[in-house]
Amino acid sequence: MIKKLYDFFFNHRVSLRERMFRITTGGCMIAATFVLPMGKSVTNWIILVLSLIFMAVVVKVSIEKDRINRGATVIALLILVLFPFSFFTAGGFYSGVPEWLVIYFIYISVTLAGRRKIVFY
């Protein structure tokens, strides 16, 4: 099982762009699971769990259909919409959400390309 997971993220038969998309999105999903317990409301928990499920579906579909840029754009939009909501419902500045701002900029710089990257910056 660990070998399959390793091959999914570091398979050299796929393009570097797709591997970076897989690794960066996987990192964002792991970071979201660490932010999840910091939520003070049940609504925050539900929305973050649903967003994790949505991110997993977007990654699967964008890899299957070879639409990496479109999948990265959808996930970047999701993070952009969820960031303010999580910030205010999880405790503001003293929650773990400000780190998401850094993760968001890393996600944009690694996964998006072209005009989409400029628009999201």
Side-chain angles (χ1 to χ4, degrees), residues 17-30:
R17 182 161 172 72
E18 183 175 329
R19 279 186 281 160
M20 293 304 295
F21 172 69
R22 290 177 180 188
I23 292 169
T24 308
T25 306
C28 283
M29 291 174 74
I30 290 169

Side-chain angles (χ1 to χ4, degrees), residues 75-96:
I75 292 174
L77 275 171
L78 177 71
I79 294 172
L80 181 67
V81 169
L82 287 180
F83 178 76
F85 175 79
S86 294
F87 182 79
F88 291 115
T89 60
F93 186 73
Y94 299 107
S95 66

Side-chain angles (χ1 to χ4, degrees), residues 1-116:
M1 183 170 138
I2 293 174
K3 181 161 177 37
K4 283 185 180 181
L5 189 64
Y6 181 82
D7 286 341
F8 177 76
F9 285 112
F10 300 108
N11 187 358
H12 292 287
R13 285 176 269 159
V14 297
S15 68
L16 177 64
R17 182 161 172 72
E18 183 175 329
R19 279 186 281 160
M20 293 304 295
F21 172 69
R22 290 177 180 188
I23 292 169
T24 308
T25 306
C28 283
M29 291 174 74
I30 290 169
T33 58
F34 286 117
V35 171
L36 195 89
M38 294 179 191
K40 297 189 186 317
S41 69
V42 176
T43 308
N44 191 21
W45 279 63
I46 292 170
I47 289 178
L48 286 176
V49 167
L50 290 176
S51 68
L52 284 173
I53 294 169
F54 181 73
M55 285 173 79
V57 169
V58 168
V59 168
K60 182 174 173 51
V61 169
S62 62
I63 289 173
E64 286 176 356
K65 299 204 182 252
D66 198 28
R67 303 280 187 194
I68 302 301
N69 206 22
R70 185 170 293 164
T73 304
V74 169
I75 292 174
L77 275 171
L78 177 71
I79 294 172
L80 181 67
V81 169
L82 287 180
F83 178 76
F85 175 79
S86 294
F87 182 79
F88 291 115
T89 60
F93 186 73
Y94 299 107
S95 66
V97 181
E99 287 81 8
W100 266 97
L101 187 62
V102 175
I103 292 171
Y104 185 63
F105 279 111
I106 292 170
Y107 189 81
I108 290 171
S109 63
V110 171
T111 59
L112 293 178
R115 285 181 272 163
R116 293 178 186 192

